[in-house]
């Protein structure tokens, strides 16, 4: 299993319950596909560096996890089809 980090930005129109539900959804994708969530760090609402689709702020969340090589592809797919996700990135911090 490899270490990964993902950071995603949720739309500011989502209320606190919807943000928590999305975080649990992404944790569930990781855990249900053989991964292990190590840390979840909710950074809260912050201003974006640049405007995306007329939105200039969002709720940032960082998740550190361990998983096999195929899980990031599935997680990326789920991020892309989830309404409310403005941006996301999944990296392997060990491969520099």
């Amino acid at each position: 299993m490899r270490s990964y980090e993902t950071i995603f930005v949720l739309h500011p129109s989502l209320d606190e319950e919807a943000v928590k539900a999305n975080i649990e959804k992404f944790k569930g994708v990781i855990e249900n596909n053989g991964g292990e969530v190590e840390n979840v760090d909710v950074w809260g609402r912050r201003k974006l560096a640049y405007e995306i689709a007329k939105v200039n702020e969002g709720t940032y969340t960082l998740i550190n996890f361990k998983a096999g090589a195929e899980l990031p592809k599935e997680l990326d797919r789920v991020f892309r089809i989830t309404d409310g996700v403005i941006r996301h990135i999944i990296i392997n911090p060990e491969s520099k």
Side-chain angles (χ1 to χ4, degrees), residues 71-90:
L71 190 126
K73 293 175 188 171
E74 174 62 17
L75 187 58
D76 182 60
R77 185 188 73 77
V78 172
F79 279 136
R80 289 179 189 274
I81 63 173
T82 302
D83 291 336
V85 176
I86 298 173
R87 284 284 190 270
H88 71 280
I89 188 169
I90 303 168

Side-chain angles (χ1 to χ4, degrees), residues 8-93:
F8 55 93
V9 183
L10 297 174
H11 199 278
S13 66
L14 298 176
D15 63 357
E16 191 173 326
E17 291 301 316
V19 170
K20 287 180 182 178
N22 276 311
I23 293 169
E24 289 302 316
K25 174 182 178 179
F26 302 136
K27 282 173 53 180
V29 169
I30 294 167
E31 292 167 349
N32 293 336
N33 288 292
E36 177 183 317
V37 175
E38 295 179 327
N39 183 37
V40 177
D41 190 12
V42 179
W43 294 353
R45 189 172 288 198
R46 298 192 178 210
K47 187 170 170 68
L48 301 175
Y50 55 90
E51 191 173 281
I52 301 170
K54 299 186 180 182
V55 175
N56 58 9
E57 66 178 24
T59 305
Y60 285 72
T61 305
L62 167 72
I63 299 178
N64 299 87
F65 63 98
K66 289 190 180 217
E70 294 299 312
L71 190 126
K73 293 175 188 171
E74 174 62 17
L75 187 58
D76 182 60
R77 185 188 73 77
V78 172
F79 279 136
R80 289 179 189 274
I81 63 173
T82 302
D83 291 336
V85 176
I86 298 173
R87 284 284 190 270
H88 71 280
I89 188 169
I90 303 168
I91 63 167
N92 179 344

